[in-house]
């Protein structure tokens, strides 16, 4: 079995039933972590948890059906994870409502005034309130231990303002900005907050068949495996308020070179502030 660098750590993975969340869960289990896999689709989640457990070993995963926007369920799920595994060391926020829910979004993008209010609000709740709620719920457990990781999955800048994708891009932009706040608030606690993105369109249901992009030409979900494993490990100590592009991550490079090649500060710090602050 692969080097189990995450032995003794518990990861809570949202959006674990499909796509990148499923792929990351497998890698984290293989690396020795206990993985609490969260999703709302019970049958898909059970199948994903079995696949991850088969890869990581008996008892390495456990499925938890949970709506990440439901505060009572989030609290109860965190308590169940603590009871099952004894700790919550890493939270990966990957649950999402994507633009695939918008009919024909890739072929005939809707104008903003044509979008359904209910879907827009669902994106807002799952994609930005969900990570806030889960981080709020899990961070105290991490701070009590003096070590922890929050990894938020956002998207590329050009997708943040992609026309026709509803609130998907704006919510990911909001999560990008909120990660900077998390990182600042957590500074000095031993808990960090960083971002991981694939680096382009990924072979998941978010890219519909109607796009006519050959599936093999898309980034594959397993591109997230190596960098998320590293972010969950002790080797990422001291890394805070960073975003990493998984497609640029190269495990064969020395640590500093990997960080330099794939990493950058969170939330567009290359854009200078033009804010006016009155003098004292």
């Amino acid at each position: 079995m692969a080097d189990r660098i995450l032995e003794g750590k518990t990861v809570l993975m949202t959006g674990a039933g499909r796509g990148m969340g499923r792929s990351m869960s497998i890698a984290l289990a293989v690396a020795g972590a206990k993985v609490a896999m969260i999703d709302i689709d019970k049958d898909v989640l059970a199948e994903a948890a079995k696949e991850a457990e088969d890869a990581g070993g008996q008892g390495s995963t456990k499925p938890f059906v949970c709506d990440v926007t439901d505060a009572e369920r989030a609290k109860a799920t965190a308590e169940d994870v603590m009871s099952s595994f004894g700790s919550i060391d890493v939270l990966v926020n990957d649950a999402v409502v994507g633009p695939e829910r918008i009919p024909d979004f890739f072929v005939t993008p809707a104008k903003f005034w044509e979008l359904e209010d209910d879907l827009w609000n669902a994106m807002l709740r799952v994609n930005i309130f969900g990570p806030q709620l889960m981080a709020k719920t899990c961070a105290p457990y991490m701070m009590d231990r003096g070590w922890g990781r929050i990894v938020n999955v956002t998207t590329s800048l050009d997708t943040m303002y992609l026309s026709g994708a509803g609130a998907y891009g704006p919510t990911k932009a909001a999560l990008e900005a909120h990660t900077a706040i998390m990182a600042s608030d957590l500074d000095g606690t031993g808990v960090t907050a960083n971002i991981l993105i694939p680096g382009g369109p990924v072979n998941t249901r978010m890219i519909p068949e109607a796009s006519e992009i050959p599936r093999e030409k898309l980034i594959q979900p397993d591109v997230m495996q190596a960098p998320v494993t590293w972010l969950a490990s002790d080797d990422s100590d001291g890394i805070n308020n960073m975003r990493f592009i998984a497609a640029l991550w190269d495990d064969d490079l020395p640590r500093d070179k990997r960080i330099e090649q794939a990493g950058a500060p969170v939330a567009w710090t290359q854009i200078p502030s033009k804010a006016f602050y009155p003098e004292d």
Side-chain angles (χ1 to χ4, degrees):
M1 188 170 286
D3 186 15
R4 296 175 68 83
I5 62 171
L6 301 183
E7 200 80 56
K9 290 182 168 53
T10 299
V11 180
L12 193 158
M13 173 72 64
T14 76
R18 295 181 172 88
M20 295 189 300
R22 184 174 186 150
S23 183
M24 287 188 284
S25 295
I26 292 169
L28 293 163
V30 168
K34 302 294 187 184
V35 186
M37 298 175 64
I38 288 179
D39 211 301
I40 59 171
D41 190 328
K42 182 177 180 180
D43 293 340
V44 169
L45 178 60
E47 180 184 312
K50 183 180 185 307
E51 182 181 6
E53 184 176 55
D54 287 347
Q58 186 174 5
S60 58
T61 71
K62 187 173 180 179
F64 296 86
V65 177
C66 176
D67 179 346
V68 299
T69 71
D70 183 328
E72 289 187 5
R73 280 300 306 145
K75 180 177 183 292
T77 298
E79 292 171 351
D80 287 347
V81 173
M82 290 294 296
S83 178
S84 298
F85 294 138
S87 67
I88 297 175
D89 305 292
V90 180
L91 166 66
V92 182
N93 279 311
D94 186 57
V96 67
V97 174
E100 75 280 357
R101 297 267 296 272
I102 302 171
D104 299 325
F105 93 93
F106 214 99
V107 180
T108 54
K111 303 299 184 184
F112 72 86
W113 59 84
E114 298 171 334
L115 296 165
E116 294 293 333
D117 294 344
D118 287 348
L119 180 54
W120 181 275
N121 283 317
M123 289 182 174
L124 288 174
R125 286 189 59 76
V126 174
N127 300 1
I128 180 60
F129 176 65
Q132 156 64 14
L133 177 61
M134 296 307 297
K136 175 184 178 180
T137 302
C138 295
Y141 293 109
M142 301 178 192
M143 289 188 287
D144 283 348
R145 292 167 62 87
W147 193 98
R149 302 284 188 266
I150 296 172
V151 181
N152 293 326
V153 178
T154 66
T155 192
S156 302
L157 181 61
D158 52 354
T159 304
M160 291 181 182
Y161 47 73
L162 178 65
S163 178
Y168 176 73
T171 55
K172 291 299 187 178
L175 182 54
E176 181 96 14
H178 190 36
T179 304
I181 295 171
M182 291 183 186
S184 176
D185 288 350
L186 290 166
D187 188 40
T189 67
V191 183
T192 62
N194 295 286
I195 281 169
L196 180 61
I197 68 170
V202 184
N203 185 15
T204 67
R205 61 178 178 166
M206 199 173 294
I207 306 298
E209 296 297 335
S211 72
E212 298 185 351
I213 302 173
R215 307 312 285 190
E216 67 274 11
K217 298 291 186 181
L218 296 167
I219 294 173
Q220 301 305 309
D222 61 6
V223 75
M224 303 286 277
Q225 292 184 335
V228 78
T229 300
W230 177 77
L231 280 168
S233 75
D234 292 335
D235 193 48
S236 67
D237 284 353
I239 301 299
N240 192 33
N241 203 25
M242 294 280 290
R243 77 184 333 251
F244 292 92
I245 299 174
L248 299 179
W249 186 262
D250 186 351
D251 259 348
D252 292 332
L253 293 176
R255 179 182 186 273
D256 289 349
K257 291 293 185 183
R258 274 180 278 153
I259 295 170
E260 179 182 357
Q261 176 167 290
V266 161
W268 324 286
T269 54
Q270 74 277 16
I271 303 173
S273 173
K274 300 295 185 181
F276 171 76
Y277 297 99
E279 297 180 1
D280 293 335

